[in-house]
Amino acid sequence: TDDTVCTIAVADCLIHDGDYAEYLRWYVNQHPDRGYGGMFQEWAFSDMGPYNSWGNGSAMRISSVAHIARDERELLVWAEQASEVTHSHPDAIAGAQAVALVMWMAKNNETPQVIRAEIAGRFHYDLSRTVDDIRPGYSFDVSCAGTVPEAITCALEATDYEDAIRNSISIGGDSDTIACIVGGIAEVMFGVPPEIAEHALSYLTEDLKVTLNLFDTVKAK
């Protein structure tokens, strides 16, 4: 999907200290027709600059930053840089930074309660609701502001990786992007069960697998 391609593009860019716009465009050109948003697709096949999007595309592709940033300052700078080449609206940058920071804190063994308080305070997100609270009134929303808080809640409330993904699908809305964000957080919190990882990898083309394997090597150092 577009989520997969863009996430791997950002990971490859980080590995090679490249230009985010160049890497995103190259990957999209190699993998067209993956369900990209209209404005993003127009951007990818042109030389236009950032288009002030507040959409959730910035948050869906950001997970790799949390795996290799060396400190919190670097994490937030990289998240902003990976976002602003397309999604330059403050809400989109904040969404990318929030997801990256949740992952960073989880990596550093902070509890869901501490993470929730920090993210709610820093980004002014309402993280007081439960998944059961969100589910009845939630609807399709492609904004970062209307996606990221719900995704964070789905991850922090989960008991394992599969439970996190089930939470994300259960609330409806922009389900593939919510699940992408949730999956990145849940990977750090719980790890990915081998049977789920194996099945997911079966969908990837060989070039995407090569990049993913290289990234796994880099983040392990």
PDB file of all heavy atoms in Angstrom, residues 61-80:
ATOM      1  N   ARG A  61       4.273   7.403   7.805  1.00  0.00           N
ATOM      2  CA  ARG A  61       5.558   6.979   7.222  1.00  0.00           C
ATOM      3  C   ARG A  61       6.739   7.196   8.162  1.00  0.00           C
ATOM      4  O   ARG A  61       7.895   6.992   7.764  1.00  0.00           O
ATOM      5  CB  ARG A  61       5.795   7.731   5.914  1.00  0.00           C
ATOM      6  CG  ARG A  61       6.033   9.227   6.048  1.00  0.00           C
ATOM      7  CD  ARG A  61       5.968   9.929   4.704  1.00  0.00           C
ATOM      8  NE  ARG A  61       6.365  11.330   4.769  1.00  0.00           N
ATOM      9  CZ  ARG A  61       5.863  12.293   4.011  1.00  0.00           C
ATOM     10  NH1 ARG A  61       4.919  12.006   3.115  1.00  0.00           N
ATOM     11  NH2 ARG A  61       6.299  13.529   4.105  1.00  0.00           N
ATOM     12  N   ILE A  62       6.511   7.554   9.414  1.00  0.00           N
ATOM     13  CA  ILE A  62       7.571   8.090  10.262  1.00  0.00           C
ATOM     14  C   ILE A  62       8.246   7.070  11.163  1.00  0.00           C
ATOM     15  O   ILE A  62       9.255   7.369  11.816  1.00  0.00           O
ATOM     16  CB  ILE A  62       7.001   9.254  11.116  1.00  0.00           C
ATOM     17  CG1 ILE A  62       8.113  10.232  11.501  1.00  0.00           C
ATOM     18  CG2 ILE A  62       6.274   8.724  12.362  1.00  0.00           C
ATOM     19  CD1 ILE A  62       8.755  10.923  10.323  1.00  0.00           C
ATOM     20  N   SER A  63       7.773   5.847  11.231  1.00  0.00           N
ATOM     21  CA  SER A  63       8.210   4.917  12.281  1.00  0.00           C
ATOM     22  C   SER A  63       9.709   4.646  12.291  1.00  0.00           C
ATOM     23  O   SER A  63      10.298   4.441  13.363  1.00  0.00           O
ATOM     24  CB  SER A  63       7.451   3.594  12.166  1.00  0.00           C
ATOM     25  OG  SER A  63       7.605   3.035  10.878  1.00  0.00           O
ATOM     26  N   SER A  64      10.356   4.653  11.134  1.00  0.00           N
ATOM     27  CA  SER A  64      11.784   4.321  11.098  1.00  0.00           C
ATOM     28  C   SER A  64      12.640   5.304  11.874  1.00  0.00           C
ATOM     29  O   SER A  64      13.705   4.939  12.395  1.00  0.00           O
ATOM     30  CB  SER A  64      12.271   4.246   9.640  1.00  0.00           C
ATOM     31  OG  SER A  64      12.008   5.458   8.957  1.00  0.00           O
ATOM     32  N   VAL A  65      12.188   6.541  11.984  1.00  0.00           N
ATOM     33  CA  VAL A  65      12.954   7.557  12.709  1.00  0.00           C
ATOM     34  C   VAL A  65      13.221   7.115  14.149  1.00  0.00           C
ATOM     35  O   VAL A  65      14.323   7.297  14.685  1.00  0.00           O
ATOM     36  CB  VAL A  65      12.203   8.911  12.686  1.00  0.00           C
ATOM     37  CG1 VAL A  65      12.806   9.895  13.674  1.00  0.00           C
ATOM     38  CG2 VAL A  65      12.222   9.502  11.284  1.00  0.00           C
ATOM     39  N   ALA A  66      12.230   6.540  14.789  1.00  0.00           N
ATOM     40  CA  ALA A  66      12.362   6.161  16.191  1.00  0.00           C
ATOM     41  C   ALA A  66      13.364   5.030  16.404  1.00  0.00           C
ATOM     42  O   ALA A  66      13.892   4.862  17.503  1.00  0.00           O
ATOM     43  CB  ALA A  66      11.001   5.754  16.762  1.00  0.00           C
ATOM     44  N   HIS A  67      13.640   4.268  15.362  1.00  0.00           N
ATOM     45  CA  HIS A  67      14.540   3.127  15.503  1.00  0.00           C
ATOM     46  C   HIS A  67      16.011   3.517  15.450  1.00  0.00           C
ATOM     47  O   HIS A  67      16.856   2.778  15.969  1.00  0.00           O
ATOM     48  CB  HIS A  67      14.249   2.080  14.425  1.00  0.00           C
ATOM     49  CG  HIS A  67      12.980   1.329  14.647  1.00  0.00           C
ATOM     50  ND1 HIS A  67      12.832   0.368  15.616  1.00  0.00           N
ATOM     51  CD2 HIS A  67      11.764   1.416  14.029  1.00  0.00           C
ATOM     52  CE1 HIS A  67      11.606  -0.118  15.589  1.00  0.00           C
ATOM     53  NE2 HIS A  67      10.938   0.499  14.636  1.00  0.00           N
ATOM     54  N   ILE A  68      16.329   4.643  14.817  1.00  0.00           N
ATOM     55  CA  ILE A  68      17.753   4.953  14.660  1.00  0.00           C
ATOM     56  C   ILE A  68      18.160   6.336  15.149  1.00  0.00           C
ATOM     57  O   ILE A  68      19.350   6.654  15.138  1.00  0.00           O
ATOM     58  CB  ILE A  68      18.222   4.761  13.196  1.00  0.00           C
ATOM     59  CG1 ILE A  68      17.476   5.673  12.236  1.00  0.00           C
ATOM     60  CG2 ILE A  68      18.090   3.313  12.771  1.00  0.00           C
ATOM     61  CD1 ILE A  68      18.044   5.586  10.813  1.00  0.00           C
ATOM     62  N   ALA A  69      17.218   7.160  15.575  1.00  0.00           N
ATOM     63  CA  ALA A  69      17.597   8.441  16.174  1.00  0.00           C
ATOM     64  C   ALA A  69      18.425   8.181  17.429  1.00  0.00           C
ATOM     65  O   ALA A  69      18.157   7.255  18.192  1.00  0.00           O
ATOM     66  CB  ALA A  69      16.353   9.256  16.515  1.00  0.00           C
ATOM     67  N   ARG A  70      19.427   9.032  17.643  1.00  0.00           N
ATOM     68  CA  ARG A  70      20.331   8.819  18.772  1.00  0.00           C
ATOM     69  C   ARG A  70      19.888   9.537  20.037  1.00  0.00           C
ATOM     70  O   ARG A  70      20.340   9.209  21.130  1.00  0.00           O
ATOM     71  CB  ARG A  70      21.746   9.255  18.383  1.00  0.00           C
ATOM     72  CG  ARG A  70      22.392   8.312  17.363  1.00  0.00           C
ATOM     73  CD  ARG A  70      23.541   8.954  16.642  1.00  0.00           C
ATOM     74  NE  ARG A  70      23.070  10.018  15.747  1.00  0.00           N
ATOM     75  CZ  ARG A  70      23.806  10.563  14.787  1.00  0.00           C
ATOM     76  NH1 ARG A  70      25.051  10.132  14.593  1.00  0.00           N
ATOM     77  NH2 ARG A  70      23.325  11.517  14.021  1.00  0.00           N
ATOM     78  N   ASP A  71      19.025  10.523  19.894  1.00  0.00           N
ATOM     79  CA  ASP A  71      18.502  11.205  21.067  1.00  0.00           C
ATOM     80  C   ASP A  71      17.171  11.856  20.696  1.00  0.00           C
ATOM     81  O   ASP A  71      16.775  11.861  19.523  1.00  0.00           O
ATOM     82  CB  ASP A  71      19.490  12.231  21.617  1.00  0.00           C
ATOM     83  CG  ASP A  71      19.945  13.244  20.582  1.00  0.00           C
ATOM     84  OD1 ASP A  71      19.084  13.774  19.843  1.00  0.00           O
ATOM     85  OD2 ASP A  71      21.150  13.525  20.499  1.00  0.00           O
ATOM     86  N   GLU A  72      16.489  12.412  21.689  1.00  0.00           N
ATOM     87  CA  GLU A  72      15.164  12.961  21.452  1.00  0.00           C
ATOM     88  C   GLU A  72      15.198  14.168  20.522  1.00  0.00           C
ATOM     89  O   GLU A  72      14.300  14.343  19.689  1.00  0.00           O
ATOM     90  CB  GLU A  72      14.520  13.344  22.776  1.00  0.00           C
ATOM     91  CG  GLU A  72      13.081  13.816  22.642  1.00  0.00           C
ATOM     92  CD  GLU A  72      12.466  14.187  23.965  1.00  0.00           C
ATOM     93  OE1 GLU A  72      12.525  13.364  24.904  1.00  0.00           O
ATOM     94  OE2 GLU A  72      11.926  15.310  24.059  1.00  0.00           O
ATOM     95  N   ARG A  73      16.206  14.991  20.649  1.00  0.00           N
ATOM     96  CA  ARG A  73      16.299  16.167  19.770  1.00  0.00           C
ATOM     97  C   ARG A  73      16.401  15.738  18.315  1.00  0.00           C
ATOM     98  O   ARG A  73      15.696  16.263  17.453  1.00  0.00           O
ATOM     99  CB  ARG A  73      17.509  17.018  20.149  1.00  0.00           C
ATOM    100  CG  ARG A  73      17.597  18.348  19.379  1.00  0.00           C
ATOM    101  CD  ARG A  73      18.991  18.928  19.396  1.00  0.00           C
ATOM    102  NE  ARG A  73      19.918  18.080  18.679  1.00  0.00           N
ATOM    103  CZ  ARG A  73      20.053  18.097  17.340  1.00  0.00           C
ATOM    104  NH1 ARG A  73      19.286  18.887  16.602  1.00  0.00           N
ATOM    105  NH2 ARG A  73      20.913  17.297  16.755  1.00  0.00           N
ATOM    106  N   GLU A  74      17.273  14.767  18.046  1.00  0.00           N
ATOM    107  CA  GLU A  74      17.438  14.269  16.687  1.00  0.00           C
ATOM    108  C   GLU A  74      16.146  13.639  16.184  1.00  0.00           C
ATOM    109  O   GLU A  74      15.749  13.826  15.019  1.00  0.00           O
ATOM    110  CB  GLU A  74      18.576  13.254  16.637  1.00  0.00           C
ATOM    111  CG  GLU A  74      18.957  12.801  15.243  1.00  0.00           C
ATOM    112  CD  GLU A  74      20.231  11.985  15.262  1.00  0.00           C
ATOM    113  OE1 GLU A  74      20.223  10.867  15.835  1.00  0.00           O
ATOM    114  OE2 GLU A  74      21.243  12.465  14.711  1.00  0.00           O
ATOM    115  N   LEU A  75      15.493  12.905  17.046  1.00  0.00           N
ATOM    116  CA  LEU A  75      14.213  12.275  16.706  1.00  0.00           C
ATOM    117  C   LEU A  75      13.209  13.309  16.198  1.00  0.00           C
ATOM    118  O   LEU A  75      12.591  13.129  15.144  1.00  0.00           O
ATOM    119  CB  LEU A  75      13.664  11.574  17.946  1.00  0.00           C
ATOM    120  CG  LEU A  75      12.273  10.961  17.835  1.00  0.00           C
ATOM    121  CD1 LEU A  75      12.380   9.498  17.445  1.00  0.00           C
ATOM    122  CD2 LEU A  75      11.516  11.079  19.157  1.00  0.00           C
ATOM    123  N   LEU A  76      13.041  14.379  16.936  1.00  0.00           N
ATOM    124  CA  LEU A  76      12.045  15.391  16.580  1.00  0.00           C
ATOM    125  C   LEU A  76      12.445  16.160  15.330  1.00  0.00           C
ATOM    126  O   LEU A  76      11.584  16.505  14.507  1.00  0.00           O
ATOM    127  CB  LEU A  76      11.827  16.344  17.759  1.00  0.00           C
ATOM    128  CG  LEU A  76      11.241  15.697  19.016  1.00  0.00           C
ATOM    129  CD1 LEU A  76      11.200  16.690  20.166  1.00  0.00           C
ATOM    130  CD2 LEU A  76       9.847  15.126  18.754  1.00  0.00           C
ATOM    131  N   VAL A  77      13.736  16.420  15.162  1.00  0.00           N
ATOM    132  CA  VAL A  77      14.207  17.114  13.956  1.00  0.00           C
ATOM    133  C   VAL A  77      13.981  16.249  12.732  1.00  0.00           C
ATOM    134  O   VAL A  77      13.469  16.715  11.703  1.00  0.00           O
ATOM    135  CB  VAL A  77      15.700  17.485  14.092  1.00  0.00           C
ATOM    136  CG1 VAL A  77      16.268  17.943  12.746  1.00  0.00           C
ATOM    137  CG2 VAL A  77      15.892  18.578  15.130  1.00  0.00           C
ATOM    138  N   TRP A  78      14.342  14.980  12.827  1.00  0.00           N
ATOM    139  CA  TRP A  78      14.153  14.078  11.685  1.00  0.00           C
ATOM    140  C   TRP A  78      12.678  13.910  11.348  1.00  0.00           C
ATOM    141  O   TRP A  78      12.308  13.854  10.169  1.00  0.00           O
ATOM    142  CB  TRP A  78      14.778  12.719  11.977  1.00  0.00           C
ATOM    143  CG  TRP A  78      16.273  12.699  11.879  1.00  0.00           C
ATOM    144  CD1 TRP A  78      17.091  13.725  11.477  1.00  0.00           C
ATOM    145  CD2 TRP A  78      17.127  11.594  12.187  1.00  0.00           C
ATOM    146  NE1 TRP A  78      18.402  13.329  11.528  1.00  0.00           N
ATOM    147  CE2 TRP A  78      18.455  12.024  11.956  1.00  0.00           C
ATOM    148  CE3 TRP A  78      16.900  10.309  12.638  1.00  0.00           C
ATOM    149  CZ2 TRP A  78      19.550  11.187  12.156  1.00  0.00           C
ATOM    150  CZ3 TRP A  78      17.991   9.473  12.848  1.00  0.00           C
ATOM    151  CH2 TRP A  78      19.306   9.905  12.607  1.00  0.00           C
ATOM    152  N   ALA A  79      11.853  13.811  12.358  1.00  0.00           N
ATOM    153  CA  ALA A  79      10.411  13.671  12.112  1.00  0.00           C
ATOM    154  C   ALA A  79       9.874  14.898  11.382  1.00  0.00           C
ATOM    155  O   ALA A  79       9.059  14.781  10.460  1.00  0.00           O
ATOM    156  CB  ALA A  79       9.667  13.457  13.420  1.00  0.00           C
ATOM    157  N   GLU A  80      10.316  16.075  11.793  1.00  0.00           N
ATOM    158  CA  GLU A  80       9.889  17.294  11.109  1.00  0.00           C
ATOM    159  C   GLU A  80      10.384  17.319   9.664  1.00  0.00           C
ATOM    160  O   GLU A  80       9.631  17.636   8.738  1.00  0.00           O
ATOM    161  CB  GLU A  80      10.399  18.531  11.847  1.00  0.00           C
ATOM    162  CG  GLU A  80      10.017  19.845  11.172  1.00  0.00           C
ATOM    163  CD  GLU A  80      10.426  21.070  11.967  1.00  0.00           C
ATOM    164  OE1 GLU A  80      11.027  20.918  13.045  1.00  0.00           O
ATOM    165  OE2 GLU A  80      10.131  22.186  11.508  1.00  0.00           O
TER     166      GLU A  80
END
